[in-house]
Amino acid sequence: MLRILVFLFVIGLVAIGLGFLVEQPGTLALTWFGYHVDTSPLLALSVIALTAIVIWSLFRFVFHLPGLVSVTSRARRRARGHAALARGIVAAGVGDARKASKASHDAKKLVPDEPLTLLLEAQAAQLSGDRDAAERAFRAMTEKSETKLLGLRGLHAESLRRGDHDRAHQFALEAQNISPLGWSGQALLDRYTASSDWEAARHCVAQNLRARIIDAATANRQKAVIDTALAMGIEANNPDRAISLLRAAVKKAPDLVPASALLARLLASRGKLRAASKLIEAAYAKAPHPDLAQAYVEMRHGDAATDRLARARTLAKFAPNDPESAMMIAGAALDARDFATAREAMAPLVASGERPTARMCLIMAELEEREHNAQGLVREWLARASRAARDPIWIADGHWSKLWAPVSPVTGKLDAYRWVQPKEELTGPVEEPPPAYEPPPAIAVDELVQGELPPPDESRTIEPAAAPEPESTATVQQNAAIEATATTSHEKPQEKAQDSPKTAARTSAGPEPVIFPLPTPPDDPGPKKVDADARLY
């Protein structure tokens, strides 16, 4: 506002002065080089002022001409340097080490003070495999405030390539103290979790949340996993503290199955069965898991098998359509020897057209063995289990585990395990389930001895046996010769004495039972049968 007032005041003074000069009478005469000029004082002053301005401008241009030439040269040099930087960054991006090195050399000569020049130098050195030169470039970046974080990140990456995790941790910690960033926060968190420093990991998660590196949902999940890891370490020595940590973990991440299962077991050990049951029921409704089922069924020690079956049926109501509920009921029913309930529970999972998993096949094999001791069907189910789809399991970075862990054993990443079904590269055809075991009809021994057979089953169709083909004359003569030779051959008295009691025993015991072959040969036919006569020799 003051500048505007000053400007208006100056304009007013100029207008007043020009008005005063216009109102003044008189003429101005000028004789120069034979020319005579008569004019007014105002016009003469205007010409004099314009002439002075032109002369001053010429003198100023002459005196500033070297500087103008220098500025133009610097601008042209800077433009060439920026063009070299652009070529080098593009070459480094496509992996052309030769062009990137040449562009880096040109940029260092043209624009040595540019921050991108050091970055291009480091990238070119990395492409050519010169790790020492790359590290020198990154260290030079750390000496400038505008590129210090970039240099620290480069030194962190180079330290990891060399396997020096301690130095990498120091660079990440220095960068995190300057300004929390995504790479530094994740690096510190991985370091703390890999070394089981859970308190430092908790502080790092809080710092990342304040810096808005992660959102609130991710922070709650990570805090819940850290609390669960702490509780797993102190559950034996300090169960009260473990229960407090697990309650906080379940509140932050209700779908964290290991936290819910461990908390339920600790509450049950304290006699809080109702609270433990409610906790598992709520978690099982969201994510049916065998760990939750086992903790619920085996919550009370000393329960009878029938009581565990009743608890399994109660929990199955919270996820009635999930296969885990059916397998839980089948397992409890097998322990209670309620085979009808187990078969009814497993029937939808192994029905025609379905492809049961390996665990389902193992349950069916156990059911056939316990109920009927049908070894043929047991082998059939075991064979199907060997080529069936795999059941869900904890997987982290390609590592399979039956037990959950807070960090990955491969990378040390927090909350890496996921309960998923392993992927199959090739899927075989859907197989029909083997038929259910049907025990043969009971036949009295007296009827077998007397030669009486049971009435035929009218539901079965018995085809008449085909008539034997007539043998040729040569075959008949050959068979007669063999029988004559066997009759006239010399036999030892001891062999006859040993064979006669065995033959009598076989005759008195009745005919041998007929063994029907399995539709599919078993993988393991069992021990080879050895004849008793052969053992004598």
Side-chain angles (χ1 to χ4, degrees), residues 356-369 374-388 390 431 434 521-524:
T357 62
R359 184 182 169 198
M360 299 175 188
C361 294
L362 293 177
I363 292 176
M364 289 301 301
E366 185 178 1
L367 174 60
E368 297 294 349
E369 182 178 14
Q375 296 300 320
L377 294 179
V378 171
R379 294 191 182 97
E380 177 69 20
W381 281 113
L382 293 178
R384 292 190 67 185
S386 64
R387 54 182 181 270
R390 302 297 95 184
E431 302 179 2
D523 296 337
D524 184 12

Side-chain angles (χ1 to χ4, degrees), residues 43-57:
L43 181 60
L45 291 176
S46 300
V47 172
I48 292 172
L50 181 61
T51 303
I53 291 173
V54 171
I55 294 173
W56 173 254
S57 298

Side-chain angles (χ1 to χ4, degrees), residues 186-410:
Q186 188 63 42
L188 291 178
L189 182 61
D190 293 343
R191 170 77 174 190
Y192 294 142
T193 55
S195 59
S196 299
D197 191 353
W198 304 117
E199 294 297 338
R202 187 199 298 273
H203 176 72
C204 183
V205 171
Q207 189 177 15
N208 293 338
L209 180 61
R210 287 194 302 269
R212 297 184 180 181
I213 298 174
I214 56 178
D215 55 6
T218 304
N220 288 334
R221 176 75 182 188
Q222 292 178 352
K223 289 179 180 178
V225 174
I226 293 173
D227 291 341
T228 305
L230 283 170
M232 292 172 62
I234 64 175
E235 61 173 322
N237 301 327
N238 193 354
D240 294 334
R241 172 63 175 166
I243 290 175
S244 177
L245 291 171
L246 290 172
R247 287 185 185 275
V250 172
K251 185 177 180 180
K252 294 184 182 72
D255 58 341
L256 187 58
V257 172
S260 300
L262 181 57
L263 178 58
R265 286 197 295 269
L266 291 178
L267 291 176
S269 65
R270 292 297 183 90
K272 301 178 181 179
L273 300 179
R274 184 177 180 82
S277 300
K278 294 295 182 182
L279 175 66
I280 294 183
E281 289 169 1
Y284 191 84
K286 298 178 181 179
H289 196 277
D291 291 348
L292 295 175
Q294 182 181 5
Y296 191 86
V297 173
E298 301 176 357
M299 186 173 298
R300 289 181 300 192
H301 298 286
D303 279 356
T306 55
D307 295 335
R308 292 197 295 269
L309 177 58
R311 293 185 63 82
R313 286 176 173 173
T314 302
L315 185 61
K317 295 178 182 179
F318 293 90
N321 299 324
D322 195 272
E324 182 59 38
S325 299
M327 289 187 284
M328 173 183 59
I329 293 177
L334 284 175
D335 294 339
R337 301 192 64 81
D338 189 351
F339 303 121
T341 301
R343 194 174 294 276
E344 180 183 359
M346 295 299 297
L349 305 181
V350 298
S352 177
E354 299 292 335
R355 187 166 184 249
T357 62
R359 184 182 169 198
M360 299 175 188
C361 294
L362 293 177
I363 292 176
M364 289 301 301
E366 185 178 1
L367 174 60
E368 297 294 349
E369 182 178 14
R370 288 193 179 187
E371 185 178 8
H372 302 300
N373 195 21
Q375 296 300 320
L377 294 179
V378 171
R379 294 191 182 97
E380 177 69 20
W381 281 113
L382 293 178
R384 292 190 67 185
S386 64
R387 54 182 181 270
R390 302 297 95 184
D391 293 273
I393 198 171
W394 293 110
I395 299 179
D397 300 322
H399 181 266
W400 299 9
S401 176
K402 294 182 179 180
L403 301 177
W404 178 85
V407 297
S408 169
V410 180

